[in-house]
Amino acid sequence: MMEINRFMKLLSVLMFVLSLCMKLNSVSAEVRCIERERQALLKFKHDLVDANGVLSSWGSEEDKKECCKWKGVSCSNRTGHVILLKLDANGSKSSLRLKAKLSLSLLGLQHLNYLDLSGNDFGGSEIPRVIGSFRNLRHLMLRSSNFGGEVPCELGNLTNLNTLDLSGNNLRIKNFDCLSHHSSLSFLDLSDVNLINQTSWLHHITRFPFLEVLHLASCQLPNPVLSFDIFTNSSLSQLSILDLSFNYLTSLSTLSRMFNISASLKCIDLSYNQLEGHIPDSFGKLFFLEDLSLNDNKLHGGIPSSLRNLHTLDISSNELNRLLPDNTTFSSLSSLDLRNNKLNASYTQCLGQALVLGYLDLSYNQLKRLPEGIEKLSNLRQLRMSSNLLEDTITESHLSNFANLGELDLSLNSLTFNLSSDWIPPFQLYSLYLGNCHLGPHFPNWIQTQKTLEGLNISFAGISDAIPNWLWNMSSLVILDLSHNNIRGKIPNVPSQSTVQIFIDLSYNNISGPIPLFLFYYTEIKLSKNMFSGSIFHLCTIPKGSVVHTLDLSDNQLAGEVPNCWMNISELLVLDLANNKFSGKIPLTLGTLDMLQVLHLRGNNFIGDLPSTLRNCRGLRMLDVGGNKLTGNIPAWIGTHLTSLTFLSLRFNEFDGIMPSTICLLTNIHVLDLSRNNISGRILRCLNNFTALVQKNSSIENAAQSKLDNLSVTVYVGSSYVNSAFVQWKGQDSEWRTVGLLKGIDLSGNKFVGTIPQEFSALRGLVFLNLSRNHLTGNIISNIGQMEMLESLDLSRNQLSGEIPNSLADLNFLDVLDLSYNNFTGKIPLGTQLQSFNSSVYAGNSQLCGEPLAKCPGDISDGSAIDHGEGNSFEDDDGPQAFLEAFLLQLVEQRWELDVRDNNNLCHEIQEKTSEMKKPLSGNKKWSTIIQTSCWLDWRGTWTTDGIVSALVNAIFYFSKYL
């Protein structure tokens, strides 16, 4: 009986526990989501384009009724109301795509206090005014959401806002006063919002007493800022971060007064403005200031001692010529960026006392020696001093204290390294750049101790050794530049040790033997100017889909047919096989390279036609197949399909037939060279299509966009006079004129007949024209003087006749002229230019007279022909090209890659490269002056290779007219 009672008690306890669990389950299964809010969210989802299924957890199904568990949704634990909606796509691989405008269904979520829709796409629609009805909102983030129009004044109703982020949108604020009621605001980001007419913007900002973070970058802030009296009875005592970068501010004086009411500032960013004058001492009043960015302004002088307690300081790209005053040091500084200023070694003593400094950049200054005591900076992790005038000798003592160093950049100096062959550095670098420093003649053996090295540049280093095998075993190496040395020997065909290979440049050395397979696994491959030999058929063993963007094998001794497997590297942008011994036909699979922009095949032994598959390479900007044995007609598809071409050279081949009229569709062309072929027929009259319409006194950037949208030839510089030199004119009533985009035409050595088209006079930007060695008849076009930029003109060895037009004497920039061996008659027009040439310019025209030839009958005084000495004519069949023509052609053919970060470095590179040209121009008396003047330009910015070339050519052509 007792056992039965005990069992019944136990059973009752179990039943009680079971019932309790059932109640708990019923509670846990209860849906907290409020139905009207769930429906509002579903309606909102309906207005989205969710291609990636980001909101797959949202739905009306039974198992999805709990909206409080939906992605990006949070509810109040107390009331169940939706209080957070966070659907930001910034940094997400699966970005939401929203329809035309924000759905009004969100009005059903009146308890929202957090709304983040950043990084989505609202199609340029306006921010709905009804958003001002979310009175509980404390955080509103719409960053980079593609909203447009005006910021609605109704946002001022959100008086509880703590965070407001409207940055990255195409918005404008018409009345800043509408937003001045956010007394609780602590974070405000209006970057990229147009405030151009808000002259009292700073006054309105001071109405946010709890503001801690303020971003107004790229707001077109009006300048100057209103005077100090607007700060009366105002305070920004909580402000910690201030960002006014990328505006047009010019004066620090008014802004510095702002610091009196913002003493809590820790971070200030005034970069990319137009601030002038000295850095004010008022920054020193900011006791808590740690980070200051003043880079990319026009500040000069030195750094005031009040800044010595900063943690990070960036004053790069200004005009500073000294650092701290004597007897002061950077005691707390951990990061200092002073690149691209005018510093010299006389004012860098204080750097040796910045003992906590971890990042130091002094690149692009005028330092002639290392800063005193720099070897004491034991905490340095990154040291950059490239592009100075350093001439020191680096010994082990300079580097022995840098145990924490990870990056060392001393490139583009004249430093000499004197290190023992068995030296073991105390550091482990990930980046080492010593280009233009003297390290040779032996390969620096200490580099093999760097087990984490990712980037290595020891170009122009005077190394004449062989590449050691251990270099190819450095598994971390992804960037390697050994170019412009005298490195010899062969490269072993070893398996690549690196899993990521980005860039290799071995050009301008004496490396021989076949090209090993592993080199083709880099993304950028530059092996030109070596002695590589053999075929490149192992290119076909590269796996399909390999990422190769640049392949430069030019100027080697490679031979055999070019393999027909280019579809394996379909992302190729630049292919240069010029000046080798390749033979056979151009492979058809080159046409699979639909991303190709540059194709150089000149100087080989290719035969047959241009493959029609090349028509698929619609992005080609440069096509050079000169110096081969190609035959057939010039394909019409060049003009219809390759419309992006800026440089086309088919010279020195065996093309025949007539010039297809579709060539005139190449409206972006800068250089057209069809010389030394068997092309017959008449010269196309439609070549005057290569022009654009430009308004009077405007720059090329403001020209008719229908012609110039894809133009890379524009010289974009701080000096607008360079551009307008091509488009300004006087003495005409018209407000518009045409400006030539084409810079050079060479049709010489063909079988052209007929007359020179009168339409050529419209080619106002043409710099050189060579029609020599054809069968042209008729006169020189009478209005040739309208080709006002012409500097080189060769019409020799034709059957032209008649008198030389007087307008030829109007070509003030003409430096090279050859009219020899024609049938010209009459008197040479008087003008400074035409009389300055050698008489050989006019040879073979028996009926021609006048200076510099014999005087014409009836001239007042007697006298013999005047010999002006050596002239600038073409003297034989393969005579020297005109100075500028040779410069242009070789510049483009060699596809120079110039470092345009700094003017001085650009000039140095140009001078270096001109000394390597096949026909050096250094003997020309104008060369040094042209180089010097063209380097006045401000070449900042990112350029494509052909863009740099085109811009440089324009500059040199322009400046040469003053010489």
Side-chain angles (χ1 to χ4, degrees), residues 570-590:
S570 58
E571 295 188 23
L572 198 62
L573 302 176
V574 175
L575 175 60
D576 194 342
L577 303 178
N579 300 320
N580 279 284
K581 299 178 181 179
F582 290 117
S583 58
K585 293 188 175 183
I586 298 174
L588 294 173
T589 54
L590 283 180

PDB file of all heavy atoms in Angstrom, residues 570-590:
ATOM      1  N   SER A 570      41.965  35.418 -71.055  1.00  0.00           N
ATOM      2  CA  SER A 570      40.981  36.299 -71.685  1.00  0.00           C
ATOM      3  C   SER A 570      40.908  37.683 -71.072  1.00  0.00           C
ATOM      4  O   SER A 570      40.278  38.577 -71.643  1.00  0.00           O
ATOM      5  CB  SER A 570      39.590  35.646 -71.612  1.00  0.00           C
ATOM      6  OG  SER A 570      39.241  35.378 -70.260  1.00  0.00           O
ATOM      7  N   GLU A 571      41.544  37.918 -69.918  1.00  0.00           N
ATOM      8  CA  GLU A 571      41.489  39.232 -69.278  1.00  0.00           C
ATOM      9  C   GLU A 571      42.674  40.113 -69.653  1.00  0.00           C
ATOM     10  O   GLU A 571      42.903  41.164 -69.046  1.00  0.00           O
ATOM     11  CB  GLU A 571      41.424  39.077 -67.756  1.00  0.00           C
ATOM     12  CG  GLU A 571      40.153  38.406 -67.285  1.00  0.00           C
ATOM     13  CD  GLU A 571      40.018  38.429 -65.770  1.00  0.00           C
ATOM     14  OE1 GLU A 571      40.639  39.308 -65.129  1.00  0.00           O
ATOM     15  OE2 GLU A 571      39.306  37.574 -65.233  1.00  0.00           O
ATOM     16  N   LEU A 572      43.428  39.724 -70.682  1.00  0.00           N
ATOM     17  CA  LEU A 572      44.612  40.476 -71.081  1.00  0.00           C
ATOM     18  C   LEU A 572      44.230  41.874 -71.563  1.00  0.00           C
ATOM     19  O   LEU A 572      43.321  42.039 -72.384  1.00  0.00           O
ATOM     20  CB  LEU A 572      45.343  39.718 -72.190  1.00  0.00           C
ATOM     21  CG  LEU A 572      46.804  40.107 -72.447  1.00  0.00           C
ATOM     22  CD1 LEU A 572      47.651  39.832 -71.221  1.00  0.00           C
ATOM     23  CD2 LEU A 572      47.344  39.344 -73.644  1.00  0.00           C
ATOM     24  N   LEU A 573      44.952  42.870 -71.061  1.00  0.00           N
ATOM     25  CA  LEU A 573      44.731  44.263 -71.446  1.00  0.00           C
ATOM     26  C   LEU A 573      45.826  44.784 -72.368  1.00  0.00           C
ATOM     27  O   LEU A 573      45.550  45.575 -73.271  1.00  0.00           O
ATOM     28  CB  LEU A 573      44.663  45.153 -70.201  1.00  0.00           C
ATOM     29  CG  LEU A 573      43.595  44.816 -69.161  1.00  0.00           C
ATOM     30  CD1 LEU A 573      43.732  45.729 -67.958  1.00  0.00           C
ATOM     31  CD2 LEU A 573      42.208  44.923 -69.754  1.00  0.00           C
ATOM     32  N   VAL A 574      47.070  44.356 -72.122  1.00  0.00           N
ATOM     33  CA  VAL A 574      48.217  44.843 -72.899  1.00  0.00           C
ATOM     34  C   VAL A 574      49.026  43.642 -73.363  1.00  0.00           C
ATOM     35  O   VAL A 574      49.438  42.814 -72.546  1.00  0.00           O
ATOM     36  CB  VAL A 574      49.109  45.770 -72.048  1.00  0.00           C
ATOM     37  CG1 VAL A 574      50.351  46.176 -72.832  1.00  0.00           C
ATOM     38  CG2 VAL A 574      48.340  47.001 -71.594  1.00  0.00           C
ATOM     39  N   LEU A 575      49.259  43.555 -74.678  1.00  0.00           N
ATOM     40  CA  LEU A 575      50.106  42.502 -75.247  1.00  0.00           C
ATOM     41  C   LEU A 575      51.139  43.167 -76.146  1.00  0.00           C
ATOM     42  O   LEU A 575      50.793  43.839 -77.118  1.00  0.00           O
ATOM     43  CB  LEU A 575      49.278  41.507 -76.062  1.00  0.00           C
ATOM     44  CG  LEU A 575      50.083  40.422 -76.793  1.00  0.00           C
ATOM     45  CD1 LEU A 575      50.891  39.583 -75.806  1.00  0.00           C
ATOM     46  CD2 LEU A 575      49.171  39.528 -77.629  1.00  0.00           C
ATOM     47  N   ASP A 576      52.416  42.974 -75.811  1.00  0.00           N
ATOM     48  CA  ASP A 576      53.509  43.576 -76.575  1.00  0.00           C
ATOM     49  C   ASP A 576      54.521  42.489 -76.927  1.00  0.00           C
ATOM     50  O   ASP A 576      55.253  42.006 -76.064  1.00  0.00           O
ATOM     51  CB  ASP A 576      54.177  44.682 -75.756  1.00  0.00           C
ATOM     52  CG  ASP A 576      55.087  45.560 -76.610  1.00  0.00           C
ATOM     53  OD1 ASP A 576      55.455  45.129 -77.719  1.00  0.00           O
ATOM     54  OD2 ASP A 576      55.423  46.675 -76.177  1.00  0.00           O
ATOM     55  N   LEU A 577      54.535  42.109 -78.213  1.00  0.00           N
ATOM     56  CA  LEU A 577      55.480  41.113 -78.731  1.00  0.00           C
ATOM     57  C   LEU A 577      56.430  41.743 -79.728  1.00  0.00           C
ATOM     58  O   LEU A 577      57.076  41.051 -80.514  1.00  0.00           O
ATOM     59  CB  LEU A 577      54.716  39.969 -79.401  1.00  0.00           C
ATOM     60  CG  LEU A 577      53.681  39.232 -78.551  1.00  0.00           C
ATOM     61  CD1 LEU A 577      52.981  38.154 -79.380  1.00  0.00           C
ATOM     62  CD2 LEU A 577      54.318  38.613 -77.318  1.00  0.00           C
ATOM     63  N   ALA A 578      56.559  43.060 -79.694  1.00  0.00           N
ATOM     64  CA  ALA A 578      57.301  43.800 -80.718  1.00  0.00           C
ATOM     65  C   ALA A 578      58.790  43.457 -80.700  1.00  0.00           C
ATOM     66  O   ALA A 578      59.364  43.083 -79.681  1.00  0.00           O
ATOM     67  CB  ALA A 578      57.110  45.303 -80.517  1.00  0.00           C
ATOM     68  N   ASN A 579      59.388  43.600 -81.886  1.00  0.00           N
ATOM     69  CA  ASN A 579      60.845  43.498 -82.069  1.00  0.00           C
ATOM     70  C   ASN A 579      61.409  42.179 -81.559  1.00  0.00           C
ATOM     71  O   ASN A 579      62.309  42.134 -80.721  1.00  0.00           O
ATOM     72  CB  ASN A 579      61.549  44.684 -81.391  1.00  0.00           C
ATOM     73  CG  ASN A 579      61.113  46.008 -81.969  1.00  0.00           C
ATOM     74  OD1 ASN A 579      60.944  46.144 -83.179  1.00  0.00           O
ATOM     75  ND2 ASN A 579      60.907  46.987 -81.116  1.00  0.00           N
ATOM     76  N   ASN A 580      60.827  41.100 -82.054  1.00  0.00           N
ATOM     77  CA  ASN A 580      61.346  39.756 -81.841  1.00  0.00           C
ATOM     78  C   ASN A 580      61.548  39.106 -83.203  1.00  0.00           C
ATOM     79  O   ASN A 580      61.712  39.806 -84.210  1.00  0.00           O
ATOM     80  CB  ASN A 580      60.389  38.945 -80.960  1.00  0.00           C
ATOM     81  CG  ASN A 580      60.561  39.243 -79.485  1.00  0.00           C
ATOM     82  OD1 ASN A 580      61.507  38.790 -78.861  1.00  0.00           O
ATOM     83  ND2 ASN A 580      59.633  40.015 -78.920  1.00  0.00           N
ATOM     84  N   LYS A 581      61.529  37.792 -83.249  1.00  0.00           N
ATOM     85  CA  LYS A 581      61.719  37.075 -84.514  1.00  0.00           C
ATOM     86  C   LYS A 581      60.539  36.141 -84.774  1.00  0.00           C
ATOM     87  O   LYS A 581      60.693  35.084 -85.371  1.00  0.00           O
ATOM     88  CB  LYS A 581      63.020  36.287 -84.468  1.00  0.00           C
ATOM     89  CG  LYS A 581      64.257  37.151 -84.278  1.00  0.00           C
ATOM     90  CD  LYS A 581      65.517  36.315 -84.188  1.00  0.00           C
ATOM     91  CE  LYS A 581      66.754  37.180 -83.966  1.00  0.00           C
ATOM     92  NZ  LYS A 581      67.996  36.361 -83.854  1.00  0.00           N
ATOM     93  N   PHE A 582      59.365  36.541 -84.314  1.00  0.00           N
ATOM     94  CA  PHE A 582      58.174  35.730 -84.531  1.00  0.00           C
ATOM     95  C   PHE A 582      57.836  35.692 -86.017  1.00  0.00           C
ATOM     96  O   PHE A 582      58.057  36.661 -86.756  1.00  0.00           O
ATOM     97  CB  PHE A 582      56.994  36.285 -83.755  1.00  0.00           C
ATOM     98  CG  PHE A 582      57.109  36.127 -82.258  1.00  0.00           C
ATOM     99  CD1 PHE A 582      57.175  37.240 -81.426  1.00  0.00           C
ATOM    100  CD2 PHE A 582      57.166  34.871 -81.693  1.00  0.00           C
ATOM    101  CE1 PHE A 582      57.284  37.098 -80.059  1.00  0.00           C
ATOM    102  CE2 PHE A 582      57.286  34.712 -80.310  1.00  0.00           C
ATOM    103  CZ  PHE A 582      57.344  35.828 -79.504  1.00  0.00           C
ATOM    104  N   SER A 583      57.287  34.573 -86.450  1.00  0.00           N
ATOM    105  CA  SER A 583      56.945  34.387 -87.859  1.00  0.00           C
ATOM    106  C   SER A 583      55.564  33.746 -87.964  1.00  0.00           C
ATOM    107  O   SER A 583      54.892  33.498 -86.956  1.00  0.00           O
ATOM    108  CB  SER A 583      57.993  33.508 -88.545  1.00  0.00           C
ATOM    109  OG  SER A 583      58.090  32.243 -87.897  1.00  0.00           O
ATOM    110  N   GLY A 584      55.162  33.475 -89.201  1.00  0.00           N
ATOM    111  CA  GLY A 584      53.854  32.868 -89.425  1.00  0.00           C
ATOM    112  C   GLY A 584      52.749  33.906 -89.385  1.00  0.00           C
ATOM    113  O   GLY A 584      52.979  35.116 -89.436  1.00  0.00           O
ATOM    114  N   LYS A 585      51.538  33.431 -89.283  1.00  0.00           N
ATOM    115  CA  LYS A 585      50.380  34.312 -89.287  1.00  0.00           C
ATOM    116  C   LYS A 585      50.040  34.768 -87.868  1.00  0.00           C
ATOM    117  O   LYS A 585      50.337  34.082 -86.889  1.00  0.00           O
ATOM    118  CB  LYS A 585      49.178  33.607 -89.909  1.00  0.00           C
ATOM    119  CG  LYS A 585      49.338  33.326 -91.402  1.00  0.00           C
ATOM    120  CD  LYS A 585      48.037  32.805 -91.992  1.00  0.00           C
ATOM    121  CE  LYS A 585      48.163  32.655 -93.508  1.00  0.00           C
ATOM    122  NZ  LYS A 585      46.897  32.205 -94.139  1.00  0.00           N
ATOM    123  N   ILE A 586      49.409  35.896 -87.799  1.00  0.00           N
ATOM    124  CA  ILE A 586      48.905  36.383 -86.512  1.00  0.00           C
ATOM    125  C   ILE A 586      47.782  35.462 -86.071  1.00  0.00           C
ATOM    126  O   ILE A 586      46.835  35.235 -86.824  1.00  0.00           O
ATOM    127  CB  ILE A 586      48.414  37.833 -86.635  1.00  0.00           C
ATOM    128  CG1 ILE A 586      49.575  38.752 -87.046  1.00  0.00           C
ATOM    129  CG2 ILE A 586      47.790  38.307 -85.335  1.00  0.00           C
ATOM    130  CD1 ILE A 586      49.152  40.181 -87.328  1.00  0.00           C
ATOM    131  N   PRO A 587      47.862  34.877 -84.879  1.00  0.00           N
ATOM    132  CA  PRO A 587      46.874  33.859 -84.483  1.00  0.00           C
ATOM    133  C   PRO A 587      45.461  34.403 -84.372  1.00  0.00           C
ATOM    134  O   PRO A 587      45.246  35.530 -83.898  1.00  0.00           O
ATOM    135  CB  PRO A 587      47.397  33.361 -83.137  1.00  0.00           C
ATOM    136  CG  PRO A 587      48.322  34.422 -82.654  1.00  0.00           C
ATOM    137  CD  PRO A 587      48.907  35.066 -83.863  1.00  0.00           C
ATOM    138  N   LEU A 588      44.516  33.588 -84.782  1.00  0.00           N
ATOM    139  CA  LEU A 588      43.110  33.988 -84.775  1.00  0.00           C
ATOM    140  C   LEU A 588      42.585  34.218 -83.366  1.00  0.00           C
ATOM    141  O   LEU A 588      41.711  35.060 -83.153  1.00  0.00           O
ATOM    142  CB  LEU A 588      42.262  32.927 -85.474  1.00  0.00           C
ATOM    143  CG  LEU A 588      42.495  32.746 -86.981  1.00  0.00           C
ATOM    144  CD1 LEU A 588      41.696  31.550 -87.495  1.00  0.00           C
ATOM    145  CD2 LEU A 588      42.101  34.006 -87.742  1.00  0.00           C
ATOM    146  N   THR A 589      43.111  33.463 -82.393  1.00  0.00           N
ATOM    147  CA  THR A 589      42.550  33.547 -81.045  1.00  0.00           C
ATOM    148  C   THR A 589      42.885  34.851 -80.335  1.00  0.00           C
ATOM    149  O   THR A 589      42.374  35.101 -79.244  1.00  0.00           O
ATOM    150  CB  THR A 589      43.024  32.362 -80.180  1.00  0.00           C
ATOM    151  OG1 THR A 589      44.457  32.297 -80.205  1.00  0.00           O
ATOM    152  CG2 THR A 589      42.434  31.065 -80.671  1.00  0.00           C
ATOM    153  N   LEU A 590      43.726  35.696 -80.946  1.00  0.00           N
ATOM    154  CA  LEU A 590      43.889  37.035 -80.375  1.00  0.00           C
ATOM    155  C   LEU A 590      42.548  37.758 -80.350  1.00  0.00           C
ATOM    156  O   LEU A 590      42.327  38.645 -79.520  1.00  0.00           O
ATOM    157  CB  LEU A 590      44.906  37.840 -81.182  1.00  0.00           C
ATOM    158  CG  LEU A 590      46.385  37.512 -80.962  1.00  0.00           C
ATOM    159  CD1 LEU A 590      47.256  38.391 -81.846  1.00  0.00           C
ATOM    160  CD2 LEU A 590      46.779  37.679 -79.510  1.00  0.00           C
TER     161      LEU A 590
END
